Amino acid sequence: MRPTDPPLPRVALTPRLRGFGTTVFAEMSALAAEHGAINLGQGFPDSDGPTVVKEAAVAAIRAGHNQYPPGPGIPELRAAIAEHQRRFYGIELDPGSEVLVTTGATEAVAAGILAFTGPGDEVIALEPFYDSYAACVAMSGATLVPLTLRPPHFTADEATLRACVTPRTRLILLNSPHNPTGVVLSPAELRGIAEVAVEHDLIVLADEVYEHLVYDGTHIPISTLPGMRDRTVTVSSAAKTFALTGWKIGWATGPADLVGAVRTAKQYLTFVSGAPFQPAIAAALRLEDGYYTGLRQDLRRRRDILADGLTSVGFEVYRPAGTYFVTADVRPLGFEDGYAFCRRLPEWCGVAAVPNAVFYADPREGRALVRFAFCKRPDVLREAIRRLASMSRPS
């Protein structure tokens, strides 16, 4: 550019995305790095997944699986996903038409929202909700309608759900086990949601990424309930189950027409990704039952270390039935604003958390709540509790 040239115009966000700046995870992780804090904010493990799975990826790289895979995913992985659904839930799928590999669960959710909704439509989602949900609904031009889960039980009330439905409702975005509350929806809650979906002819996009991280109760895919097989797209991924969050291998399953619609949107997002990781995740999904049992037992122990520790520090703790997050109320410690608390916490004691307010359409709903991740080594969790117990606030 010559000195006499006028400055280039600034690129502004479309009105649909105004208000969606840097994610809270990036913000709190940056504060954790700045202060050398233990990061219990962003949900990533501090150790990698099974060695056999990592070695399978290395072998795939060496075998030349490094170029574009097929758009829907490699046949081996799609078959393994179908086998997984049959093995754990008795769900029968055609790997060729009813299974789609995506760039993580986040892309599967995004593609589903873009495929099924547009301007004028409404999407009902359990609130608090994962932050990408609101952004994806905004990108589609639809309106997000929260079904708010409130402490202490965070119950999905059928009567409240019915009150959320209007003639413009197109989609229910369901997340169970639920991030950030850790709630695992009960059979009665799921039946109520299914009855509403069938009665109003709604599509359900079921984010089940924490399906194997259940410590109390049982995860029941809503697609297995009467009337739900043909109206549900189920989303999951390898990230949480195999502690391989950076690989970004996810999937969407369901009836061919709905999965085909998701595939249409997905092909214009990433098209394909993770070529050498796809055969490795196929191997991971076929691990013996002992792996899944051990995963639950290990994470239940870590949950209890963190939940008990936070209680001893003085938080009001809502012990989760699933996921790897604990929600806690800061008011017993003398605070009212969880966001302000989380912004100062790395400086005060070298621990990072995430404020739940960012997961609500109305931040006041979750103003005093914060989320801590327990997918860390037990010694790291104990050190975090020690630091929290000795927290000193600058004057």
Side-chain angles (χ1 to χ4, degrees):
M1 178 183 296
R2 298 186 303 274
T4 54
D5 287 343
L8 293 174
R10 296 289 299 274
V11 177
L13 282 173
T14 173
R16 291 180 183 173
L17 289 181
R18 286 175 189 159
F20 294 95
T22 301
T23 72
V24 69
F25 306 111
E27 180 183 359
M28 298 305 160
S29 292
L31 287 171
E34 178 183 347
H35 295 283
I38 296 173
N39 191 349
L40 301 187
Q42 193 167 7
F44 59 87
D46 56 5
S47 56
D48 289 340
T51 298
V52 64
V53 179
K54 294 181 288 183
E55 290 301 322
V58 173
I61 290 171
R62 289 174 173 160
H65 296 279
N66 302 301
Q67 308 306 325
Y68 293 134
I74 65 170
E76 180 185 3
L77 177 54
R78 282 182 281 146
I81 293 166
E83 291 166 15
H84 171 276
Q85 296 301 90
R86 181 187 312 115
R87 170 185 173 185
F88 288 101
Y89 311 119
I91 298 171
E92 296 291 339
L93 294 166
D94 175 4
S97 63
E98 297 182 322
V99 180
L100 173 67
V101 178
T102 61
T103 305
T106 302
E107 185 191 43
V109 169
I113 291 170
L114 292 171
F116 301 134
T117 69
D121 293 331
E122 293 178 348
V123 177
I124 298 173
L126 301 184
E127 182 188 51
F129 34 71
Y130 184 58
D131 66 344
S132 79
Y133 292 179
C136 291
V137 171
M139 284 189 281
S140 78
T143 299
L144 187 63
V145 178
L147 174 61
T148 306
L149 312 181
R150 293 186 171 89
H153 302 298
F154 298 104
T155 303
D157 180 68
E158 181 181 345
T160 304
L161 171 61
R162 289 185 176 279
C164 291
V165 177
T166 76
R168 296 183 296 279
T169 305
R170 172 69 171 158
L171 180 71
I172 298 176
L173 178 50
L174 189 65
N175 177 213
S176 178
H178 181 257
N179 174 17
T181 68
V183 161
V184 177
L185 294 183
S186 69
E189 288 173 302
L190 290 169
R191 285 195 299 271
I193 294 168
E195 288 172 5
V196 171
V198 171
E199 180 180 334
H200 293 276
D201 193 23
L202 304 177
I203 297 171
V204 172
L205 185 58
D207 181 352
E208 301 182 2
V209 70
Y210 295 99
E211 59 185 315
H212 291 293
L213 279 60
V214 175
Y215 322 114
D216 304 311
T218 303
H219 170 62
I220 301 172
I222 195 169
S223 66
T224 62
L225 272 60
M228 296 306 296
R229 169 56 168 93
D230 293 334
R231 66 179 65 254
T232 303
V233 172
T234 301
V235 170
S236 193
S237 86
K240 317 303 181 185
T241 302
F242 303 110
L244 296 166
T245 59
W247 286 17
K248 298 298 292 180
I249 300 296
W251 49 86
T253 62
D257 59 336
L258 297 186
V259 170
V262 177
R263 183 171 61 246
T264 298
K266 180 263 188 298
Q267 68 186 347
Y268 294 109
L269 298 175
T270 62
F271 181 57
V272 293
S273 60
F277 300 132
Q278 291 195 28
I281 296 305
L285 287 168
R286 291 169 172 143
L287 290 173
E288 61 186 16
D289 289 351
Y291 171 79
Y292 295 92
T293 302
L295 173 71
R296 286 192 297 273
Q297 291 173 344
D298 180 49
L299 282 169
R300 181 185 292 114
R301 181 166 68 101
R302 301 187 196 203
R303 174 200 66 174
D304 292 342
I305 290 171
L306 182 59
D308 291 346
L310 292 172
T311 299
S312 71
V313 170
F315 293 91
E316 182 176 2
V317 173
Y318 304 103
R319 192 177 299 260
T323 75
Y324 46 47
F325 303 111
V326 172
T327 290
D329 193 316
V330 301
R331 284 175 292 189
L333 297 178
F335 299 93
E336 295 293 330
D337 188 335
Y339 205 122
F341 176 84
C342 288
R343 285 188 58 84
R344 301 300 300 276
L345 193 62
E347 175 188 355
W348 285 340
C349 69
V351 175
V354 165
N356 283 35
V358 301
F359 304 130
Y360 290 83
D362 181 353
R364 292 173 296 182
E365 287 280 358
R367 185 168 184 259
L369 303 179
V370 299
R371 191 193 79 174
F372 294 89
F374 57 86
C375 51
K376 313 294 179 181
R377 299 189 312 273
D379 61 303
V380 173
L381 296 173
R382 292 190 180 98
E383 171 61 17
I385 293 300
R386 187 196 66 78
R387 294 185 184 189
L388 286 164
S390 61
M391 178 174 55
S392 60
R393 285 174 269 170
S395 57

